[in-house]
Amino acid sequence: MPGVEDRVIIVTGAGGGLGREYALLLAAHGARVVVNDLGGARDGSGAGTSMADSVVEEIRAAGGRAVANYDSVATEAGAAGIVRTARDEFGAVHGLISNAGILRDKGFQNMTTAEWDAVVQVHLYGGYHVVKAVWPHLREQGYGRIVVATSTSGVYGNYGQSNYGAAKAGLVGLINTLAIEGRKYGILANAIAPMAATRMTSDIAPPELLAKLPPAQVAPVVGYLVSDECTDSGSVIVAGGGQVHRVQYFQSQGVAFDGTPTIDDIAERWKDITDMTAAQPGVNPVG
Ligand code: NAI
């Protein structure tokens, strides 16, 4: 893969699943990789060093360069520790793949605030903390590549994932603005909505479907997004099972009312307001 040679790239949650594939592929193409993983269970409980260590060993055994980090992305101190590892070991940081994640699925009616908080803390605050910690370094050097892991559950919704979907949609909101603020500093920010068979999806999708979704198929897409080759920013890419798509918000042509419409006016024109046949990509009217 062109464009990642010698780059220092942090991959959070790289001790297994998709993050491990990202780390292996980037290292195989000459990147210096920080393999971060808290090493806990799928629901975020527990911690350990063996997950990150085993991926680092795998990379080194193949002749690549990597260092392990075991901090949690969910705290400011943890994120600072991850960036410190990159700078202490490799002297720089050029890219970040914010990938760490947990699940606490539950129908909204029964979801506890603790379940909501845990998921938002790891995904949305985790993404925020790590981006916040790398941002000044990227700005200072006038170069950076950020990829956050979102999900089709954030973009489209999914039963039992109100906490996860809200956090994942929040990350799209984050990169939309980072793309705007980062451009003049050479910082690109994009989101990946992967589809892959990992421990996270092992009991969510049927085995026949999972068999068609090896996580290694997502890695080249993320590899491209953190490479010099990529010039796009603010895109949401859905990738899995050999398919790669871009998702974008579109806005209907809509209806322009003369003055303030009544509720009845809205009801009467609702079909036209929501008709997407002549829709165009949405833009922020105040941006
Ligand atoms: P995974 O469970 O195999 O990987 C997540 C990794 O994050 C684990 O190794 C875990 O130990 C680590 N982690 C959890 N909390 C952490 C924390 N606080 N600090 C540092 N590391 C932590 O799951 P998978 O599938 O590889 O997921 C990777 C990312 O992709 C996640 O953000 C997930 O939400 C997202 N995603 C995955 C999909 C899929 O089809 N597998 C679908 C949509 C999104």
Side-chain angles (χ1 to χ4, degrees):
M1 187 199 323
V4 296
E5 180 92 40
D6 290 331
R7 292 296 191 197
V8 178
I9 299 173
I10 294 169
V11 186
T12 70
L18 286 156
R20 171 178 164 274
E21 296 292 345
Y22 304 157
L24 292 177
L25 186 68
L26 291 167
H29 287 277
R32 295 174 284 171
V33 183
V34 177
V35 176
N36 157 263
D37 206 290
L38 180 62
R42 188 176 85 159
D43 69 356
S45 58
T49 56
S50 63
M51 289 178 73
D53 282 345
S54 77
V55 175
V56 168
E57 275 162 32
E58 226 179 322
I59 290 172
R60 289 184 180 161
R65 291 168 294 175
V67 62
N69 172 280
Y70 321 109
D71 287 315
S72 173
V73 298
T75 66
E76 197 177 333
I82 297 168
V83 176
R84 200 177 317 118
T85 297
R87 290 172 60 77
D88 287 353
E89 181 75 13
F90 299 126
V93 54
H94 303 109
L96 165 67
I97 302 169
S98 175
N99 164 82
I102 63 168
L103 277 188
R104 303 233 175 143
D105 290 2
K106 193 74 76 68
F108 186 65
Q109 165 84 5
N110 296 320
M111 183 173 291
T112 64
T113 300
E115 288 161 341
W116 173 275
D117 281 346
V119 166
V120 171
Q121 198 66 42
V122 172
H123 289 277
L124 185 54
Y125 275 89
Y128 161 73
H129 287 311
V130 187
V131 170
K132 186 78 176 160
V134 297
W135 190 260
H137 303 292
L138 305 185
R139 247 180 73 141
E140 199 182 329
Q141 74 198 359
Y143 178 92
R145 296 286 181 271
I146 294 169
V147 179
V148 300
T150 183
S151 167
T152 51
S153 297
V155 178
Y156 303 119
N158 191 24
Y159 193 94
Q161 295 199 317
S162 55
N163 51 358
Y164 180 77
K168 290 305 205 187
L171 289 165
V172 173
L174 175 65
I175 61 111
N176 283 340
T177 289
L178 295 182
I180 294 166
E181 295 188 7
R183 192 164 273 287
K184 71 174 174 208
Y185 300 103
I187 305 170
L188 309 183
N190 292 288
I192 181 83
M195 291 181 295
T198 65
R199 76 175 187 181
M200 192 174 269
T201 48
S202 56
D203 57 0
I204 289 179
E208 319 79 76
L209 176 61
L210 291 173
K212 295 180 191 148
L213 299 174
Q217 289 192 335
V218 180
V221 182
V222 173
Y224 170 77
L225 291 173
V226 292
S227 75
D228 293 355
E229 307 304 304
C230 183
T231 52
D232 258 353
S233 200
S235 287
V236 177
I237 305 297
V238 176
Q243 301 214 27
V244 187
H245 310 265
R246 179 178 175 204
V247 174
Q248 193 179 6
Y249 292 122
F250 273 59
Q251 186 163 305
S252 71
Q253 203 169 40
V255 171
F257 291 97
D258 229 0
T260 307
T262 63
I263 292 176
D264 281 343
D265 291 335
I266 300 293
E268 199 176 298
R269 302 298 306 277
W270 190 248
K271 269 208 167 67
D272 300 318
I273 291 169
T274 57
D275 177 5
M276 297 301 283
T277 44
Q280 295 289 325
V283 287
N284 186 349
V286 298

